[in-house]
Each structure stands twice: as C-alpha cells, then as structure tokens.
Amino acid sequence: MITIFSSEHRQQAGTVELINGRLEAPVEKPSRADSILASVQSAMLGPVLAPKDFDVAAIERVHDPRLVSFIRTAWGQWVAAHGAWDALPPSSRARGMQVREPETIDGKLAYFAFDAGTPITAGTWTAARAAVDVALTGLETLGSGGRAVFSLCRPPGHHAARDYYGGYCFFNNAAVAAQKAIDNGAQRVAILDVDYHHGNGTQSIFYERSDVLFVSIHADPRQDYPFFLGYADETGQGAGEGFNLNLPLRWGTQWPQYDEALQTAIERIRHHAPEVLVVSLGVDTFEKDPISRFKLRAADYPKIGHAIAAIGAPTLFVMEGGYAVAELGHNVVSVLSGFERAG
Ligand code: 6XA
Ligand code: ZN
C-alpha cells in the first residue's frame, strides 16, 4: 500500500493545550506522525511518497473562505497583539449568543475555534495545508488504480467544520478528499470514521447531502468530546436524511461491542455502494490511549482493517487521532495490513 507523507506536519508543534483543567504539553504532537511513518517503513507496507501541491480552492469546496483566510493570517495577528506563543481563544459561544465575526484577533479566535485545545502556532497554516495536500494526493493516487492508499495526515481533520476549527483539527482532510472525489465525477462516496471521537466536522459538512454517506463509530457524546454532536438520532436532513449514521458506544467498550457496531457500519456502507470509501482512521480507541476510554487491544486492529476490506470499495485511509505514541504506529499499520491481507 502506498503511503503519502509530508514532513511539513512538524510545523504544527504547539506548546500548550487546555486538558483536564491544566495547560499541558499537547498530546497531538509531531512524534505521532513520525512514529507512524517509522512503523510503515519497518513493516515494509509499501512506498512512501511526498504530496503534490494543490490549490487552496480545493479546501474552499468544503470550508468557508473566511475560515481559510483566518487560519492563514491568525498567527501574524496574534504575534502583533500578544507575542510569539500559542494562540488560544479567550472564550467560546454558548447557546443563543451573537454570531458576528469580531475585528480583533481574540474575538476572531473565539469566533472560529470551538475549544482551547487547538493552538495556532507559527507553522499551523503550512502544516494544515500540507495535510490537505497529503489527503488529496492520496485520492489522486487511488484514482490511478490502487485498491487502497494511506494518507498519513497530521494535523488531523474530522472536527473541522465549514466555518470552525477545534479538536486539534484546522481543515477537514477527509472531507476535502471526499468532495474532490465527487468533483472528479463520483456519484456516491462514503466516509467511515473509526476515530474514538465523533467526526462532528465531517458530519456537519455533508449533513444535508445524499451523495456522501457519513458513518461514525465513536464515544457516546453524553460522555465524551466533542459532546454536542454524535447522537444516534442525527440521521441527516433534507436530501441527506438517512445518509448520516452515528453509532455511539459507552466508555469501556471492548471488541465484541465494537465489532457489532462495525458490522452495522459496513452493512450500511455496502448498501450505499460507494465508488470511493474514505476512512477517517483514528486509533485512539486503544486501551492505553491517554485521552480515551475504549478498551480495544492491539490484536483488534487487524480485524478492523479486515472488516473494512469487505466493503470492497477503493479505499483512502486518512489519519486522524491516536495518542499512545509508543504503540501508535504499530496499531495503524495493523489496520492497513489487516486490510491488505483480506485482499
Ligand atoms: C479535547 C480532545 C480532542 C480530541 C481530539 C481527537 N482536548 N479527535 O482525537 O479525534
Ligand atoms: Zn480522536
């Protein structure tokens, strides 16, 4: 399997995130992608290629140009206002509050961000753009005939919606790739999100559409982040009714319950008969993940890959979360080689 990777991901290297009431070193850090790359290479998964440069227009197919321009310019505005340390929002919007975009950088951070865990740094724009290029190059590579490609994206993307960012995500790499597949002529695309956290950004981008089916298995939003989306009764709206499937699971979930949800997801996706399947691949479902509370074991990851292969569609794996750095690369490669072995 070909892997697409850009060392530009290292440009996203925050110094703090707000976690459990403390400002701590971010768990979403450069060593994550480097350890995945090392495992891809030591397992001899296949060639590792650099991404091509794509135009920002591809990002603006799913994101508001104002968000894109904010991510591009925020660091400069922040440094001018405060200094060269991580930019975090001073507040966020609650129900019923005003929704106008403020003029100052602090106001804009509050307007575009939905959490204080996603620092904007000097290199955020470069890294976030490169991650989109990694996803789009993966899609293009898949188009030239392979069964599956791995886009080793970092920073991740699935929490980023049309006009807001958060959850370590700036641009929604998987959504940009899915939209590109549609723009290239596909009529049916599916996104399967197996990250521990609900892909609220991806869901909201495609919520009113029937061409891109979104299916997600994740921690119950009554218990875990991002809290405000991911319920089972969110089934899509308008033309998208029936094209959004959320399969929330409780803290402590182990393989038997997970597998049941995975089979339900796969059945729904097969019914959609996608011409392209995008997998938002997070392995923060792992029992030793520092921020998550599912109990999947290392031996479960090949089974996830094997199950996904049964969908039978050309598949683009797009990296999302997973923070147990020592085991991260191994678990990711387990999914990918489980997929390949299934043929
Ligand atoms: C809040 C937790 C962010 C979750 C990020 C993630 N600080 N999403 O892994 O998939
Ligand atoms: Zn996650």
Side-chain angles (χ1 to χ4, degrees):
M1 188 181 301
I2 291 175
T3 294
I4 315 293
F5 172 82
S6 165
S7 50
E8 297 281 38
H9 80 84
R10 292 180 199 127
Q11 298 282 328
Q12 174 60 15
T15 52
V16 285
E17 71 163 306
L18 181 61
I19 183 163
N20 302 332
R22 291 187 177 158
L23 284 173
E24 292 188 349
V27 296
E28 202 300 287
K29 55 192 173 190
S31 58
R32 294 181 58 244
D34 291 334
S35 86
I36 298 168
L37 180 69
S39 297
V40 161
Q41 288 167 331
S42 68
M44 294 188 287
L45 187 73
V48 177
L49 308 179
K52 289 184 18 184
D53 290 337
F54 284 83
D55 197 86
V56 80
I59 303 180
E60 293 181 352
R61 290 289 293 139
V62 306
H63 289 292
D64 188 326
R66 292 179 315 131
L67 173 69
V68 178
S69 140
F70 175 74
I71 300 295
R72 183 167 50 78
T73 59
W75 177 250
Q77 296 176 60
W78 175 262
V79 172
H82 300 302
W85 52 84
D86 295 13
L88 294 175
S91 71
S92 61
R93 200 161 69 213
R95 285 168 298 288
M97 281 182 169
Q98 181 66 272
V99 285
R100 290 185 226 182
E101 183 181 338
E103 290 171 14
T104 58
I105 181 62
D106 290 85
K108 286 178 190 292
L109 283 161
Y111 180 80
F112 286 112
F114 75 90
D115 72 9
T118 313
I120 291 186
T121 69
T124 296
W125 165 252
T126 304
R129 272 212 65 179
V132 171
D133 286 342
V134 166
L136 288 171
T137 304
L139 181 78
E140 195 172 283
T141 308
L142 187 65
S144 41
R147 168 87 165 87
V149 174
F150 176 38
S151 285
L152 207 179
C153 296
R154 179 181 173 270
H158 71 153
H159 295 300
R162 179 161 181 79
D163 64 357
Y164 58 84
Y165 74 95
Y168 315 151
C169 305
F170 301 95
F171 300 134
N172 196 317
N173 309 309
V176 174
Q179 180 62 48
K180 185 74 171 176
I182 295 286
D183 292 343
N184 289 347
Q187 291 183 343
R188 288 175 318 281
V189 171
I191 302 174
L192 170 62
D193 190 326
V194 296
D195 187 278
Y196 173 81
H197 304 92
H198 178 248
N200 61 283
T202 318
Q203 167 169 312
S204 72
I205 286 167
F206 297 112
Y207 204 60
E208 297 183 20
R209 291 172 50 173
S210 59
D211 53 350
V212 181
L213 169 70
F214 180 65
V215 178
S216 179
I217 308 168
H218 51 267
D220 193 321
R222 285 171 290 201
Q223 294 181 307
D224 220 320
Y225 188 93
F227 303 110
F228 56 89
L229 280 179
Y231 288 84
D233 62 5
E234 295 158 8
T235 54
Q237 205 170 304
E241 180 62 55
F243 292 88
N244 195 89
L245 176 62
N246 282 332
L247 299 162
L249 298 170
R250 303 293 287 177
W251 278 355
T253 288
Q254 299 182 1
W255 178 253
Q257 305 99 293
Y258 195 89
D259 187 35
E260 205 179 310
L262 187 57
Q263 296 311 323
T264 305
I266 283 165
E267 204 174 303
R268 177 67 189 90
I269 294 169
R270 286 177 74 120
H271 184 70
H272 188 63
E275 294 146 84
V276 177
L277 170 65
V278 178
V279 177
S280 268
L281 176 59
V283 295
D284 39 9
T285 46
F286 183 49
E287 58 181 346
K288 293 188 201 157
D289 194 274
I291 66 166
S292 307
R293 299 196 188 209
F294 282 1
K295 297 287 168 218
L296 297 198
R297 303 205 168 136
D300 297 329
Y301 290 98
K303 297 186 263 184
I304 294 180
H306 189 274
I308 293 171
I311 295 168
T315 301
L316 177 65
F317 289 94
V318 173
M319 195 63 219
E320 302 282 1
Y323 309 97
V325 175
E327 294 94 346
L328 176 61
H330 179 77
N331 289 340
V332 169
V333 169
S334 290
V335 174
L336 303 174
S337 37
F339 180 101
E340 286 209 307
R341 275 198 303 276

